[in-house]
């Protein structure tokens, strides 16, 4: 360590004051930050086996990047050789990046942001950072294209442009993949042409000439992004999984062509061999000094560790490859065990199809949370667990329940949410004498629509919830509605995959076409939302086993009363007519429109919000139409509706409640 500091100090002594206009070769004027270190032969290692660490290597002097008279960015050229080494016993960790930044001191950067940004400043134009990332981990938060790619980043880790790592063979035009984390040396060229406003990135295995066709070519004027003087260097980071990032050589030139003598590069293999040799030597010395005493201590220690492990086996945790990207939200099992007082019955909030939910208080922060132990007696339990993490873990909306984190122990699948003091909506409709006012119900109906709009139309991909019902709508301390329980949620593309499609949801809320083909779509969510609206307004379940045949099905019953001009008679009697008539009529008609048997007739959720906000008027005389052979349609009659649909919705539902 002292030797590394000495070598770095020699480099720093060469630093001159002020900015330079030319270029440099990677043999001096270098500053190290974080865990970055340099070997005696000049090999730079940005990160090592330290978890959640950041390493920076910057050229110590700022470079002039703009023409002082025009303010136009100057052309530049750089080439460097990198290597990423992953421990054979580990998965790939985070990548590394070549960086152009306004300062060499990047403070506050987080490990999952390649040591460049954090969750608060990612995407901020005031960053003035341009980077080329070499990433061997797919992070969905930043829309990474795969787990082995090169991307051009501007003020954010969401790449402006990215391609799988590789190069084009000049003679044939064939594309050849390059594994970034192979441990092999890779040469990279980054060139900016100021006249053409074009940034090009190329790479190839070492000693293969620069490809004529770049891997990435981006038309961009960097003048508004950069400052007059900028620093250049490299940044990398590690998370829970670690890997070593090396820079073996580097040349940079403003308004010129960078040149690098590959024959003078330090040896990566000798560095690794030297490290192994040092470890072996230290071990031999240690054994010779300690001898039998050391062996005795080791044996006793192993016995104690084994005994302790056996006693606390229930606190062991499991890590699988799909979990890595959610690492920042992973809780320790022992903390959740303590938070819920050992998952005692006294803290049990409720049980559902997917497991049990407990109240908990986190040991350090003292924050109240809801801890859900997912049922895992089958493969379906694991699928539901993964689905909920992969979906809600990335979503942020005031009307969606926020997932705080997760945990996996041996035989335990656990999710941690914000605690909702007022539990679920169904409790106030069916399970307690305390009822909600119409204003509260109307607000909750709009809240759920707002959350659903985010899933269907505002998130980066369309998410189908597939299980909208009052028991999945949770209420905070102020009775704001939040849509939760994403155990069945899927992206729209995934939900319609023939290999994964199966009937999902709760009987009574399942759209006719979903019962027939099993394909979930935003429209099937709208159907369930329509039933939900009727349920909240009427205060009764979608199917009542003890009601007369005419009133057994909620949708049919409300439809008939509407046609009879008595739609208000379906409103929940517990409201005692204390409501705005126009609002109740709106919700009841909207519920019917959304639960229309023909999917194409149902409105989009954005249109639903316009109705609820009074910006648009719901059709007054819409009718349930079933397309006939002549395509003109015929009036919907619940008594003669295709009972391949109705019998599934009604008869099976009655059977499920024990009739």
């Amino acid at each position: 360590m002292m030797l590394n500091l000495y070598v770095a100090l020699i480099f720093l002594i060469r630093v001159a004051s002020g900015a330079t206009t030319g270029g440099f070769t990677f043999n001096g004027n270098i500053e190290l930050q974080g865990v970055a270190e340099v070997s005696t032969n000049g090999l730079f290692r940005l990160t090592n086996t330290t978890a959640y660490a950041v390493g920076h290597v910057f050229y110590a002097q700022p470079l002039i990047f703009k023409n002082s008279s025009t303010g136009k960015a100057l052309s530049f050229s750089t080439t460097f050789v990198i290597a990423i080494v992953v421990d054979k016993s580990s998965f790939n960790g985070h990548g590394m990046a070549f960086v152009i930044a306004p300062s060499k001191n990047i403070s506050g950067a987080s490990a999952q942001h390649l040591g460049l940004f954090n969750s608060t400043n990612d995407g901020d134009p005031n960053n003035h950072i341009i980077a080329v990332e070499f990433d061997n981990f797919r992070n969905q938060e930043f829309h990474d294209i795969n787990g082995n790619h090169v991307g051009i980043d501007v003020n954010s880790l969401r790449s402006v442009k990215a391609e799988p790592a590789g190069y084009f063979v000049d003679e044939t035009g064939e594309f050849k993949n390059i594994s970034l984390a192979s441990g092999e040396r890779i040469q990279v060229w980054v060139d900016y042409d100021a006249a053409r406003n074009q940034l090009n990135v190329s790479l190839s295995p070492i000693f293969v000439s620069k490809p004529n066709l770049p891997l990435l070519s981006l038309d961009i004027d960097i003048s508004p992004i950069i400052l007059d003087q900028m620093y250049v260097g490299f940044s990398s980071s590690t998370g829970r999984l670690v890997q070593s990032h090396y820079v073996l050589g580097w040349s940079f030139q403003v308004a010129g062509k960078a040149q690098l003598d590959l024959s003078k590069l330090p040896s990566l293999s000798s560095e690794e061999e030297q490290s192994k040799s040092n470890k072996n030597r230290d071990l031999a010395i240690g054994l010779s000094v300690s001898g039998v005493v050391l062996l005795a201590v080791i044996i006793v220690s192993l016995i104690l560790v084994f005994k302790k492990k056996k006693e606390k086996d229930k606190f062991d945790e499991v890590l699988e490859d799909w979990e890595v990207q959610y690492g920042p939200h992973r809780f320790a099992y022992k903390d959740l065990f303590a938070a819920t007082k050992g998952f005692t019955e006294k803290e049990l909030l409720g049980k559902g199809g997917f497991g049990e939910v407990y109240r908990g208080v986190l040991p350090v922060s003292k924050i109240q949370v809801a801890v859900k132990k997912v049922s895992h007696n089958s493969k379906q339990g694991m699928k539901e667990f993964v689905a909920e993490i992969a979906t809600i873990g990335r979503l942020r909306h005031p009307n969606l329940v926020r997932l705080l984190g997760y945990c996996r122990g041996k035989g335990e699948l656990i999710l941690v949410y914000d605690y909702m003091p007022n539990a679920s909506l169904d409790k106030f409709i069916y399970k307690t004498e305390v009822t909600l006012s119409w204003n509260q119900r109307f607000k909750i109906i709009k809240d759920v629509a707002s959350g659903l709009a985010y899933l269907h139309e505002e998130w980066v991909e369309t998410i189908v919830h597939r299980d909208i019902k009052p028991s999945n709508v949770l209420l905070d301390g102020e009775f704001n509605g939040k849509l939760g329980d994403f155990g069945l949620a899927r992206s729209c593309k995934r939900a319609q995959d023939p290999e994964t499609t199966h009937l999902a949801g709760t009987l009574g809320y399942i759209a006719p076409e979903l019962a027939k083909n099993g394909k979930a779509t935003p429209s099937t969510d709208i159907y369930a939302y329509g039933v939900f609206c009727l349920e909240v307004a009427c205060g009764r379940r979608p199917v009542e086993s003890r009601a007369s045949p005419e009133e057994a099905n909620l949708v049919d019953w409300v439809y008939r009363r509407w046609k009879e001009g008595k739609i208000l008679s379906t409103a929940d009697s517990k409201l005692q007519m204390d409501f705005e008539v126009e609002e109740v009529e709106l919700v009841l008609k909207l519920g019917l429109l959304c639960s229309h048997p023909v999917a194409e007739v149902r409105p989009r959720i954005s249109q639903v919000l316009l109705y609820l906000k009074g910006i648009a008027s719901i059709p007054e005389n819409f009718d349930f139409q079933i397309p006939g052979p002549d395509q003109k349609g015929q009036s919907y009659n619940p008594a003669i509706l295709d009972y391949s649909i109705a019998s599934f919705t009604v008869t099976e539902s009655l059977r499920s409640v024990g009739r």
Side-chain angles (χ1 to χ4, degrees), residues 7 25 81-82 191 216 219 290 296 301 303 313 320 380 391 413 423 434 471 590 605 632:
V7 175
T25 300
V81 176
I82 61 173
D191 302 288
L216 288 169
D219 293 329
S290 303
S301 298
I303 293 173
D313 187 61
E320 297 184 10
Q380 186 63 23
T391 304
L413 310 177
V434 179
S471 60
L590 181 61
I605 191 62
K632 294 181 180 180

Side-chain angles (χ1 to χ4, degrees), residues 78 106 143 153 247 287 612:
T78 185
I106 303 178
H143 300 179
D153 302 341
V247 180
L287 286 174
L612 291 172

Side-chain angles (χ1 to χ4, degrees), residues 22 48 93 174 256 290 322 364 384 414-415 460-461 469 474 520 595 658:
N48 47 37
E174 176 189 3
S290 303
W322 58 264
V364 178
E384 291 150 1
I414 304 173
L415 299 173
V460 293
E461 57 180 321
K469 57 185 179 181
L474 302 182
S595 57

Side-chain angles (χ1 to χ4, degrees), residues 100-153:
I100 302 173
S103 172
K104 58 190 173 184
N105 298 310
I106 303 178
S107 59
S110 64
Q112 62 263 39
H113 289 76
L114 297 185
L116 292 174
F117 311 109
N118 55 49
S119 59
T120 60
N121 68 4
D122 185 75
D124 187 344
N126 293 320
N127 290 329
H128 300 291
I129 288 179
I130 297 174
V132 178
E133 66 174 51
F134 306 91
D135 201 350
N136 54 308
F137 176 78
R138 184 179 187 182
N139 193 325
Q140 295 185 9
E141 178 183 356
F142 304 119
H143 300 179
D144 288 347
I145 60 173
N146 63 18
N148 186 64
H149 64 274
V150 180
I152 297 175
D153 302 341

Side-chain angles (χ1 to χ4, degrees), residues 379-441:
K379 291 183 179 179
Q380 186 63 23
M382 173 62 76
K383 290 180 181 179
E384 291 150 1
F385 178 72
V386 176
E388 192 144 10
I389 291 179
T391 304
I392 196 173
R394 296 177 291 146
L395 304 177
R396 291 293 182 268
H397 189 275
N399 297 119
L400 298 180
V401 176
R402 185 175 59 150
L403 177 68
L404 299 177
Y406 73 103
C407 173
R408 282 206 63 205
K410 286 188 176 180
E412 299 286 358
L413 310 177
I414 304 173
L415 299 173
V416 183
Y417 300 94
D418 276 333
Y419 176 66
M420 297 287 113
N422 287 310
S424 57
L425 176 60
D426 63 321
K427 179 181 75 171
F428 292 95
I429 299 179
Y430 307 116
K431 301 176 183 179
T432 178
E433 293 182 0
V434 179
T435 188
L436 297 177
S437 68
W438 172 251
N439 288 338
Q440 289 173 315
R441 298 189 194 199

Side-chain angles (χ1 to χ4, degrees), residues 494-554:
R494 171 73 173 166
Q496 298 187 62
D497 185 344
E499 295 184 0
T500 60
T501 297
H502 64 281
L503 188 63
T506 302
L507 295 178
Y509 304 88
I510 297 175
E513 71 274 14
L514 179 59
K516 283 187 171 182
N517 58 35
K519 293 182 179 180
T521 66
S523 185
T524 59
D525 267 359
I526 294 296
Y527 182 93
Y529 176 77
V531 177
F532 166 80
C533 287
L534 296 179
E535 189 173 359
V536 174
C538 300
R540 53 154 289 182
R541 302 183 187 279
V543 176
E544 289 285 1
S545 60
R546 294 181 175 83
S548 63
E550 292 77 15
E551 297 182 1
N553 184 282
L554 175 61

